[in-house]
């Protein structure tokens, strides 16, 4: 008798994650903390500390962290409740064809972050190992890109294994760097008194939100594997509020003490030597795996190809462009960070306003939901305008929050117009 062997997609690229594949609190906690423990957040912490006094630093981290946690927590709830990835949720909110826009926005951003992360490790490592070599940075980028792509290829299980190793290491060594800086610097007030005071509170809150709004928008990709909505929300909120806050503090306190704005050299100056390589490598690896996983899911939604094939393609693109991205991508990120929150807000709004589209047996609507598209475009314009990206020097409020408010208003008005036709 012929037996039909069905290959199981353990990442459930084109379907909801069944309860049999769901995970408990501990693995989800490790995955989400591994995601938010990222060197770029430590780098942002240095910028915050160099531009704010201690009270301003605390306020910016708490307010920005609370907004980011609420945003990602809502997306985490939806991801777990439906079992759907970010891209499958986008198909319901934006329409099958309309979902190409949010999928492309998140995929390209996350592949870009992958390249930036790979170079963030390879370039400083090359400067220490062979400062006069022009070839070594490219060799290390290739090696790092291959290793990170390999672990992302194995999907959610690979992310879980890497996170179990890296999260405790980062937490211990980051705490050590912060405590040592505080003691040697004469206390937190003394360290932060060196600040230039060049940041306003609103600008600083915007930096906190912008530091992870791209990855945060893709939260459903990971917490859809949680067994319960409670687990999904708690692990997401802790990761984006507590986890991200710790990274700001690790980088901010140590960076303000040493006066350096590069977290790798901060650790070198604190005498951490080899440990700096381990911390930076483990730190970047966890988030880069998540970034590549998210980028691959987005490309899979657009192309219809398998997620594993798209992981390899994403890894190749990110690795080849890594050094260029490292030198140029961060400027583009300021634009994306004032643009991307609209996508998440519209997903949340559409879910709670039209729950029937998200039922297990519901088909994604075909075509384009123009109310959602207009909401993203309008939110992007206002976010970038009030963030100073369109008219240099002109800013108003918090760009990410302005983006969210305008995108929701446009989406809701467009929905009412369509309903009354």
């Amino acid at each position: 008798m012929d037996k039909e062997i069905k290959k199981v997609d353990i990442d459930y690229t084109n379907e909801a994650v069944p309860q049999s594949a769901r995970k408990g609190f501990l693995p989800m906690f490790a995955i989400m903390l591994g995601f938010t423990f990222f060197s770029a957040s430590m780098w942002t912490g240095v910028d915050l500390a160099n531009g704010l006094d201690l009270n301003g630093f605390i306020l910016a981290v708490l307010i920005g962290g609370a907004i980011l946690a609420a945003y990602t927590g809502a997306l985490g709830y939806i991801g777990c409740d439906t079992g759907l990835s970010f891209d499958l949720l986008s198909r319901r909110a934006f329409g099958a064809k309309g979902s190409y826009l949010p999928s492309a926005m998140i995929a390209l951003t996350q592949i870009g972050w992958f390249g930036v992360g790979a170079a963030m490790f390879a370039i400083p490592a090359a400067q220490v190992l062979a400062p006069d070599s022009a070839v070594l940075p490219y060799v290390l980028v290739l090696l790092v890109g291959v290793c990170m792509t390999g672990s992302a290829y194995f999907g959610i299980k690979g992310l879980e294994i890497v996170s179990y190793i890296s999260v405790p290491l980062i937490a211990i060594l980051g705490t050590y760097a912060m405590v040592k800086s505080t003691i040697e610097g004469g206390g937190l007030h003394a360290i932060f008194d060196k600040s230039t005071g060049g940041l306003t509170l609103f600008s600083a809150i915007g930096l906190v939100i912008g530091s992870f709004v791209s990855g945060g928008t893709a939260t459903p990709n990971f917490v859809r594997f949680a067994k319960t909505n409670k687990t999904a929300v708690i692990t997401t909120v802790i990761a984006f509020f507590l986890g991200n806050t710790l990274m700001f503090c690790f980088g901010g306190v140590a960076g303000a003490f040493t006066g350096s704005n590069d977290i790798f050299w901060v650790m070198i100056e604190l005498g951490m030597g080899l440990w700096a390589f381990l911390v930076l490598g483990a730190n970047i690896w966890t988030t880069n795996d998540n970034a590549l996983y998210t980028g691959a899911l987005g490309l899979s939604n657009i192309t219809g190809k398998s997620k594993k094939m798209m992981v390899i393609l994403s890894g190749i693109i990110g690795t080849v462009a890594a050094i260029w991205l490292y030198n140029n991508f961060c400027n583009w990120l300021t634009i994306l960070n004032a643009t991307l929150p609209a996508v998440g807000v519209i997903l949340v709004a559409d879910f709670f306003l039209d729950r029937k589209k998200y039922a297990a047996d519901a088909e994604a609507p075909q075509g384009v939901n123009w109310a959602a598209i207009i909401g993203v475009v309008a939110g992007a314009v206002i976010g970038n305008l009030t963030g100073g990206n369109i008219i240099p020097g002109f800013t108003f409020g918090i760009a990410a929050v302005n983006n969210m408010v305008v995108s929701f208003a446009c989406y809701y008005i467009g929905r009412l117009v369509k309903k009354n036709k």
Side-chain angles (χ1 to χ4, degrees):
M1 183 184 298
D2 292 333
K3 293 184 178 180
E4 182 180 339
I5 301 175
K6 182 181 180 182
K7 292 183 70 175
V8 177
D9 176 10
I10 63 171
D11 292 305
Y12 301 94
T13 307
N14 297 308
E15 59 186 307
V17 178
Q19 279 299 320
S20 60
R22 301 292 183 108
K23 299 178 181 291
F25 181 86
L26 188 58
M28 292 309 307
F29 187 56
I31 289 169
M32 294 309 294
L33 270 186
F35 188 28
T36 57
F37 274 23
F38 186 35
S39 292
S41 295
M42 298 171 76
W43 208 333
T44 302
V46 176
D47 291 338
L48 292 172
N50 288 335
L52 298 167
D53 60 17
L54 180 60
N55 289 336
F57 179 86
I58 293 172
L59 277 175
V61 168
L62 290 179
I63 295 172
I67 294 172
L68 194 58
Y71 174 76
T72 57
L75 287 168
Y77 175 88
I78 295 170
C80 179
D81 191 68
T82 61
L84 300 174
S85 68
F86 165 82
D87 300 285
L88 294 181
L89 290 171
S90 294
R91 281 177 164 263
R92 284 157 174 76
F94 289 81
K97 298 294 185 183
S99 70
Y100 294 172
L101 174 63
S103 288
M105 290 168 66
I106 296 298
L108 293 176
T109 306
Q110 290 300 295
I111 293 170
W113 266 125
F114 173 85
V116 171
M120 193 181 290
F121 175 79
I123 291 175
Q127 289 173 346
V128 171
L129 296 173
D132 297 325
S133 175
V135 177
L136 187 59
Y138 294 92
V139 173
L140 291 181
V141 162
L142 178 61
L143 181 62
V144 168
V146 169
C147 291
M148 291 180 178
T149 301
S151 59
Y153 180 84
F154 293 102
I156 200 73
K157 188 62 180 177
L159 304 183
E160 185 181 335
I161 293 170
V162 174
S163 296
Y164 275 133
I165 298 170
S166 63
V167 167
L169 181 65
I170 298 164
I172 292 169
L173 295 179
T175 301
Y176 170 79
M178 183 172 64
V179 171
K180 182 177 181 180
S181 299
T182 302
I183 294 172
E184 294 185 5
L188 291 175
H189 282 285
I191 290 173
F192 277 85
D193 281 346
K194 300 176 184 178
S195 170
T196 63
L199 274 179
T200 65
L201 181 59
F202 276 169
S203 296
I205 293 171
L207 282 177
V208 172
I209 298 171
S211 69
F212 235 107
V213 73
S214 170
T217 304
T219 295
N221 285 343
F222 313 106
V223 294
R224 63 195 172 115
F225 285 90
K227 283 187 176 179
T228 65
N229 292 342
K230 183 178 180 181
T231 292
V233 173
I234 291 175
T235 54
T236 300
V237 169
I238 291 176
F240 280 93
F241 186 70
L242 179 60
N244 218 20
T245 296
L246 284 175
M247 298 305 291
F248 292 138
C249 293
F250 292 163
V253 174
F257 170 64
T258 62
S260 175
N261 64 355
D262 188 318
I263 195 62
F264 179 86
W265 294 110
V266 166
M267 293 183 176
I268 293 292
E269 289 181 39
L270 289 173
M272 299 179 72
L274 176 62
W275 292 109
F277 283 96
L278 295 176
V279 171
L280 192 66
N283 189 293
I284 290 171
W285 196 319
T286 52
T287 303
N288 261 18
D289 267 14
N290 284 271
L292 203 59
Y293 179 82
T294 293
L297 288 175
L299 293 183
S300 182
N301 178 51
I302 296 170
T303 64
K305 302 297 183 182
S306 74
K307 173 253 170 186
K308 288 188 179 293
M309 185 186 299
M310 292 300 101
V311 163
I312 295 173
L313 177 61
S314 300
I316 292 172
I317 294 171
T319 301
V320 169
I323 292 180
W324 181 87
L325 287 167
Y326 179 79
N327 293 324
N328 297 278
F329 191 68
C330 292
N331 293 330
W332 188 38
L333 279 177
T334 61
I335 297 174
L336 291 174
N337 289 335
T339 303
L340 292 174
V343 175
V345 164
I346 288 172
L347 288 184
V348 172
D350 194 74
F351 173 79
F352 286 107
L353 291 172
D354 198 356
R355 292 286 292 266
K356 64 180 181 296
K357 286 197 301 188
Y358 297 83
D361 56 350
E363 291 289 332
Q366 299 301 309
V368 178
N369 181 352
W370 288 106
I373 298 294
I374 291 170
V376 168
V377 173
V381 171
I382 296 301
N384 283 286
L385 176 64
T386 58
N389 297 327
I390 296 177
I391 303 175
F394 174 78
T395 60
F396 178 79
I398 303 169
V401 174
N402 298 337
N403 170 289
M404 294 180 191
V405 172
V406 170
S407 61
F408 172 76
C410 290
Y411 161 79
Y412 190 71
I413 292 170
R415 178 184 171 85
L416 290 177
V417 170
K418 182 180 179 181
K419 187 177 181 180
N420 292 327
K421 276 188 176 181

